[in-house]
Amino acid sequence: MEAKWCFLVTMALLVVVVNGDESSQVKTVVKIVKGKKLCDKGWECKGLSAYCCNQTISDFFQTYQFENLFSKRNTPVAHASGFWDYHSFITATAEYQPHGFGTTGGKLTGQKEVAAFLGHVGSKTSCGYGVATGGPLAWGLCYNKEMSPSKTYCDDYYKYTYPCTPGVSYHGRGALPLYWNYNYGKTGEALKIDLLNHPEYIENNATLAFQAAIWKWMTPEKKHLPSAHDVFVGKWKPTKNDTLAKRVPGFGTTMNVLYGDQVCGKGDDESMNNIVSHYLYYLDLMGVGREEAGSHEVLSCAEQLPFNQASASASSS
């Protein structure tokens, strides 16, 4: 009876689409299950998801745009020259597009989320400065690890859950740099990679480095908190307390989620402004335009009360 019911509620049809940048044909599987449309678009958006019925990231964000955003990353003075590339980014997103990363809503929402995420990445990995060639915003993905770390970032409070490996340093690595043993431990558990014993995997594999960053973007720090993804795409609904704390859906609150009082609630903070500037710059370069970014209230977290007081990991990121 159950098998018959499944047959009745599931209808499938196949169509062929062209996958933007690669110009390769991929079969899109469309199924109607319990009245809901689900899709599978092969390697880039795999696993029968409603989100995969929308445009995938490579449909609107292609190699030349990645190159425009990070135009100085492979110059001789860049510290991670030759490490980061478009293919690594798209491969990393494939794990998360079925969960809504870059595939929530229409094309514009997808473009803005990619620009928002990469705005954080560009800001955190930049070696740009005021008179740098191409301007300070052209130097994202200059780094893939902290240079000359002053400590090993081992917190013994977590010695039973995420014990530090002797001789290993948990300094910053990645696209949204990971710090501290417990953050490497939690991220490694999620990605099913032994980052606690081998944190160097992050600096040796660009796809893994992007995956770790997207996982952080998509995952709430604690159960009662939203993810950066949720507050950006509008899945998060502010409570009365959130409203009183001036936390509203949008880019500003992604900074609150990721960094707390390190950048938020501090007025006209330089670090906050740098992250916002990267986001606006990337919107322009992607052809979306900064006018789509929203009001100052949406863009900024200057007046927001932080979700949490800073942890050691946040203060080092």
Side-chain angles (χ1 to χ4, degrees):
M1 182 67 181
E2 183 178 348
K4 183 178 179 181
W5 178 82
C6 289
F7 176 78
L8 290 173
V9 299
T10 305
M11 298 178 294
L13 62 96
L14 296 177
V15 297
V16 176
V17 298
V18 175
N19 187 355
D21 189 57
E22 303 299 328
S23 297
S24 59
Q25 289 188 337
V26 296
K27 289 183 178 179
T28 299
V29 178
V30 182
K31 292 189 176 183
I32 310 299
V33 180
K34 297 182 181 179
K36 187 175 183 179
K37 183 180 178 182
L38 305 176
C39 301
D40 183 319
K41 289 190 176 179
W43 70 271
E44 192 181 351
C45 203
K46 189 174 181 64
L48 285 178
S49 163
Y51 295 113
C52 296
C53 298
N54 299 326
Q55 285 191 311
T56 52
I57 291 176
S58 67
D59 289 331
F60 56 75
F61 184 65
Q62 300 179 2
T63 304
Y64 77 91
Q65 292 166 305
F66 184 90
E67 297 297 328
N68 287 342
L69 267 56
F70 304 109
S71 59
K72 300 298 182 181
R73 76 186 191 285
N74 288 329
T75 58
V77 296
H79 298 280
S81 181
F83 181 75
W84 304 102
D85 61 21
Y86 173 80
H87 185 265
S88 297
F89 172 67
I90 290 296
T91 302
T93 69
E95 297 291 323
Y96 301 96
Q97 292 191 57
H99 303 288
F101 178 69
T103 53
T104 298
K107 176 182 177 181
L108 179 60
T109 302
Q111 290 176 306
K112 289 171 64 177
E113 183 175 16
V114 169
F117 169 77
L118 292 177
H120 282 277
V121 169
S123 173
K124 293 298 178 181
T125 59
S126 175
C127 58
Y129 54 96
V131 294
T133 304
L137 302 178
W139 289 83
L141 295 181
C142 175
Y143 295 103
N144 65 352
K145 62 182 177 181
E146 180 183 4
M147 307 301 290
S148 304
S150 59
K151 57 184 177 180
T152 60
Y153 298 93
C154 174
D155 189 341
D156 277 338
Y157 179 81
Y158 295 89
K159 62 184 177 183
Y160 296 114
T161 49
Y162 301 113
C164 299
T165 300
V168 166
S169 174
Y170 299 99
H171 58 266
R173 299 176 177 89
L176 290 178
L178 281 173
Y179 291 83
W180 298 97
N181 51 309
Y182 51 88
N183 283 323
Y184 278 94
K186 287 190 292 186
T187 305
E189 286 177 347
L191 301 182
K192 297 180 172 57
I193 300 287
D194 185 10
L195 296 180
L196 192 60
N197 289 310
H198 296 283
E200 73 278 5
Y201 288 168
I202 293 287
E203 67 183 84
N204 293 333
N205 186 312
T207 298
L208 181 60
F210 276 128
Q211 283 178 335
I214 301 170
W215 177 80
K216 183 178 179 67
W217 175 266
M218 297 293 290
T219 307
E221 180 69 23
K222 296 181 179 178
K223 288 185 178 179
H224 68 283
L225 296 177
S227 67
H229 166 77
D230 288 342
V231 301
F232 187 81
V233 302
K235 291 181 67 177
W236 170 68
K237 303 302 179 186
T239 65
K240 182 178 179 181
N241 286 339
D242 289 318
T243 302
L244 292 172
K246 299 186 178 180
R247 297 189 290 254
V248 298
F251 185 79
T253 305
T254 68
M255 294 186 284
N256 200 329
V257 169
L258 295 174
Y259 318 119
D261 64 1
Q262 288 303 298
V263 299
C264 296
K266 299 171 65 175
D268 194 30
D269 180 73
E270 182 179 355
S271 179
M272 179 198 71
N273 289 335
N274 184 263
I275 300 167
V276 172
S277 294
H278 276 81
Y279 172 47
L280 297 178
Y281 178 66
Y282 290 174
L283 283 176
D284 286 342
L285 289 183
M286 288 173 64
V288 177
R290 63 184 59 207
E291 62 273 11
E292 295 290 345
S295 66
H296 177 75
E297 178 191 30
V298 170
L299 268 177
S300 168
C301 66
E303 306 302 323
Q304 293 184 14
L305 293 180
F307 282 110
N308 279 333
Q309 293 301 306
S311 63
S313 61
S315 65
S316 300
S317 61

